[in-house]
Amino acid sequence: MLRPDIFYQMPDWIQRLYKGVEWRGDTSRKVVYLTFDDGPIPEVTPKVLEILKKYDALATFFMVGENALKYPELTAAVSRNGHRIGNHTQNHIKGTMVTTGVYMYNVGRADWSLGSCRLFRPPYGRLRYHQHKALLDLQYRIILWDVLTHDYDPAYTPEMMLNIVKKYTRNGSIINFHDSLKSNERMLTVLPQVLEFLQSEGYTTEIL
């Protein structure tokens, strides 16, 4: 059974409270934005790229800097296939647990690892006020999501995740997945089903 709606899609009025944060993309067209967090890793990311290629879909990958440095060939493959790379900090650091100085240093290290990337998603979707302000002052685009699939949670089956996408996707939705070991089997099972659903509904995919 699915939880209350707020677990999967923040109400628009709450989204508007977060100044400078992007929850949705272009709402005037039938377009969605697939996103993948926490990679790249060799066990999962290449399989995601294969599925996306099969369905002629584009996505944005919010990478952990240390993973990008460890697997440079995967980082290059993401860009080579037409997808976009975003910053997900160097070590998947939780903003609420560290000072702004420590956080911004970690973001900066990831920026260097990824090649000067100003597209940013905070791990766990959490930031302190001053971290938020510091990112905006440095002209980072802070990206959250409009549809949270919960693919990282073992309690969610692929069927449940597909139902989340079917119920909550709308024009401009930013859909959150993870190319991680934690999400591996469930995400790879549901991703083709999600892409088939999106195509059947007339949605196209774009990068952020």
Side-chain angles (χ1 to χ4, degrees), residues 38-43 45 63-76 90-91 109-110 112-114 181:
D38 299 353
I41 58 170
E43 295 87 349
T45 307
M63 295 185 178
V64 174
E66 63 181 4
N67 288 346
L69 286 179
K70 190 174 182 180
Y71 306 112
E73 70 286 351
L74 290 182
T75 305
Q90 184 72 3
N91 310 107
R109 287 181 62 200
W112 178 84
S113 299
L114 298 168
L181 290 176

Side-chain angles (χ1 to χ4, degrees), residues 3-197:
R3 299 173 180 177
D5 290 355
I6 197 169
F7 281 88
Y8 312 109
Q9 185 174 74
M10 284 288 181
D12 289 346
W13 69 269
I14 292 181
Q15 294 185 18
R16 287 192 291 269
L17 295 177
Y18 290 80
K19 302 296 183 183
V21 174
E22 298 179 41
W23 298 79
R24 292 174 72 185
D26 185 353
T27 62
S28 68
R29 298 181 294 125
K30 295 207 73 171
V31 59
V32 296
Y33 305 85
L34 304 175
T35 64
F36 295 86
D37 295 356
D38 299 353
I41 58 170
E43 295 87 349
V44 184
T45 307
K47 296 176 184 178
V48 172
L49 292 176
E50 289 177 8
I51 294 170
L52 293 175
K53 184 175 182 179
K54 178 180 178 181
Y55 289 91
D56 195 25
L58 294 174
T60 302
F61 289 75
F62 288 94
M63 295 185 178
V64 174
E66 63 181 4
N67 288 346
L69 286 179
K70 190 174 182 180
Y71 306 112
E73 70 286 351
L74 290 182
T75 305
V78 168
S79 295
R80 188 169 59 248
N81 281 272
H83 308 295
R84 185 162 188 191
I85 292 173
N87 184 326
H88 202 46
T89 75
Q90 184 72 3
N91 310 107
H92 204 264
I93 193 170
K94 184 181 290 187
T96 54
M97 301 297 291
V98 297
T99 65
T100 298
V102 169
Y103 194 78
M104 294 307 298
Y105 174 74
N106 199 274
V107 171
R109 287 181 62 200
D111 198 39
W112 178 84
S113 299
L114 298 168
S116 189
C117 177
R118 281 296 186 270
L119 195 67
F120 181 77
R121 172 172 285 167
Y124 312 100
R126 298 176 184 176
L127 284 170
R128 294 181 184 269
Y129 169 79
H130 290 291
Q131 294 163 354
H132 175 202
K133 184 177 184 302
L135 287 163
L136 293 180
D137 287 345
L138 290 174
Q139 298 185 329
Y140 282 92
R141 286 177 61 196
I142 305 174
I143 310 293
L144 287 180
W145 50 78
D146 186 52
V147 179
L148 182 62
T149 64
H150 286 268
D151 59 345
Y152 52 83
D153 188 341
Y156 282 76
T157 65
E159 181 181 9
M160 292 168 68
M161 289 186 284
L162 180 61
N163 286 336
I164 290 170
V165 172
K166 287 182 175 181
K167 181 176 181 179
Y168 296 100
T169 297
R170 52 188 177 170
N171 286 11
S173 281
I174 300 173
I175 304 174
N176 175 270
F177 290 103
H178 296 75
D179 54 329
S180 66
L181 290 176
K182 185 183 294 186
S183 305
N184 187 5
E185 292 185 10
R186 292 181 301 279
M187 182 274 295
L188 291 174
T189 297
V190 79
L191 183 58
Q193 300 172 35
V194 165
L195 290 168
E196 288 172 6
F197 165 75

